[in-house]
Amino acid sequence: MTKEQPLTSVQPPQIPIKNAAPALWLRRWGTLFGFMALIFVFSLLRPTTFLTFRNWSNIIEQVATLAIVSAMVTIVMVTGDFDLSVGTLASLAGVVTADLMANRGWPVLPACLAAMTVGALGGLINGVLVAYGGLSAFVATLATMTAYGGMALLYTNGATIFSNIPETFRWLGQGSLGVIPVSVMIMALVVFIAWLLMEQTVFGRQLYAIGGNPQASYLAGIPVQRLRLTAFMLSGLGAALAGIILTSRLFSAHPQAGNPFMLNAAAAVFLGATAFREGEPHVLGTLLGVLIMGVLGNGMNILGVNSYVQSILTGMIIIFAVLLSSLSRKRSIQL
């Protein structure tokens, strides 16, 4: 008889630290360095235009509304859901604001509050359909995206509202306090509140837990349905606020003005998910994604790149960001 060999557990192959460290560093900081590379390239190509204070002020002011939408969409995406309706909901809020002021004589503040209520109700409908109705977030918000867009067109009969808007409304989107635009200050406040909620409160930790495993979160006593509903309402509020500021910035309301928010917000959140963490959406990463989208768009405009080509590049960025985020998540699980 042969001597019996002691049983040994089979260990998974270990990745050498020397090889793993650069890959981890690249996954964590690669998006930031990609952003810096964009700035470097555009600076070389248009040194007298791109790096000016005026141009950068314009970039920050232009991305303010996108940052508001994206920060709130991040809260939804942390839970593993998605909100396709933010663009049309922003458009609806914008035309409601303009119509109440221009055609019905409402003061600026009540009109803005009414539009924010519209945004909250839109988010509430999304949340009820997803959290309590059992629909997938993609299907539910695709349906409401179409419905809200139709409401905006019906509300104005497809026309742009541009007359009789009070001059005091212009301050929200075009005014400034010192050298800082009011829209940028509102953006900074919204992003800070979103960061505070997600990173420094039990509410945020519970949302991340839901995104990781909703079944386990439910068994642990977390009110999954209520929190998902709240996330969609916050997304609706963010979309409405962005629509109001966009209307003020343009000083007119078109029923499709906010539609690009959906695609650009998705790109920003997915890009942000590849920064600093392992494929996980978070507010500071989203802000970096927004800046990347803003710098890329501004640089291509300065270079005279066709707008259709810009749309193609935006789609490619989303594919790349989603793929990189997925690979980062798989890599972190394996490690």
Side-chain angles (χ1 to χ4, degrees):
M1 295 180 64
T2 59
K3 187 175 180 181
E4 202 171 294
Q5 297 295 325
L7 295 175
T8 57
S9 59
V10 178
Q11 298 293 332
Q14 299 295 320
I15 299 176
I17 295 177
K18 290 183 179 179
N19 294 333
L24 179 62
W25 183 89
L26 183 62
R27 291 199 305 272
R28 184 164 293 176
W29 302 104
T31 306
L32 177 61
F33 277 88
F35 174 58
M36 295 172 65
L38 272 179
I39 296 175
F40 179 73
V41 169
F42 289 135
S43 299
L44 285 180
L45 295 175
R46 292 292 186 272
T48 60
T49 306
F50 181 74
L51 285 179
T52 61
F53 175 79
R54 180 178 180 180
N55 185 55
W56 274 90
S57 298
N58 184 47
I59 291 173
I60 300 300
E61 194 169 358
Q62 283 184 341
V63 302
T65 50
L66 177 60
I68 291 170
V69 175
S70 301
M72 291 305 177
V73 168
T74 303
I75 297 176
V76 170
M77 294 182 67
V78 160
T79 66
D81 292 322
F82 201 83
D83 191 351
L84 295 172
S85 69
V86 289
T88 54
L89 194 53
S91 299
L92 179 59
V95 297
V96 167
T97 307
D99 177 70
L100 291 177
M101 292 185 300
N103 299 327
R104 306 179 194 280
W106 284 38
V108 173
L109 182 58
C112 291
L113 290 177
M116 293 290 288
T117 303
V118 169
L121 287 174
L124 176 66
I125 292 171
N126 290 339
V128 168
L129 291 174
V130 175
Y132 293 93
L135 296 180
S136 73
F138 182 85
V139 172
T141 59
L142 178 63
T144 56
M145 175 187 74
T146 306
Y148 299 153
M151 289 178 189
L153 289 166
L154 180 64
Y155 194 85
T156 63
N157 200 26
T160 301
I161 302 173
F162 56 86
S163 59
N164 299 324
I165 299 176
E167 280 295 322
T168 51
F169 180 63
R170 194 187 294 270
W171 181 78
L172 273 177
Q174 302 180 31
S176 61
L177 294 175
V179 297
I180 305 177
V182 174
S183 59
V184 174
M185 297 181 68
I186 296 173
M187 174 203 75
L189 179 62
V190 171
V191 170
F192 174 73
I193 291 173
W195 174 84
L196 198 66
L197 282 174
M198 299 308 299
E199 304 294 336
Q200 305 296 323
T201 66
V202 175
F203 172 77
R205 289 193 291 271
Q206 289 178 334
L207 289 181
Y208 276 111
I210 293 170
N213 192 324
Q215 290 79 18
S217 300
Y218 175 77
L219 293 174
I222 295 175
V224 174
Q225 292 177 313
R226 179 163 56 84
L227 289 176
R228 292 174 75 189
L229 175 66
T230 303
F232 275 106
M233 288 187 68
L234 289 173
S235 180
L237 283 170
L241 179 58
I244 293 169
I245 295 174
L246 179 64
T247 301
S248 175
R249 181 176 170 81
L250 300 175
F251 210 60
S252 63
H254 189 277
Q256 295 180 323
N259 291 9
F261 282 147
M262 186 273 288
L263 182 62
N264 292 331
V269 176
F270 282 125
L271 274 173
T274 67
F276 315 131
R277 296 183 185 176
E278 298 290 342
E280 185 179 68
H282 55 108
V283 175
L284 293 182
T286 296
L287 181 60
L288 176 61
V290 168
L291 290 174
I292 290 174
M293 297 296 296
V295 167
L296 185 62
N298 177 265
M300 288 191 294
N301 285 333
I302 290 175
L303 294 176
V305 178
N306 189 291
S307 60
Y308 302 137
V309 176
Q310 294 186 33
S311 297
I312 294 172
L313 289 175
T314 301
M316 293 173 64
I317 287 171
I318 294 176
I319 293 173
F320 172 77
V322 173
L323 180 62
L324 188 59
S325 175
S326 176
L327 291 176
S328 296
R329 277 183 170 272
K330 291 179 180 179
R331 185 74 171 177
S332 64
I333 292 172
Q334 291 173 359
L335 293 176

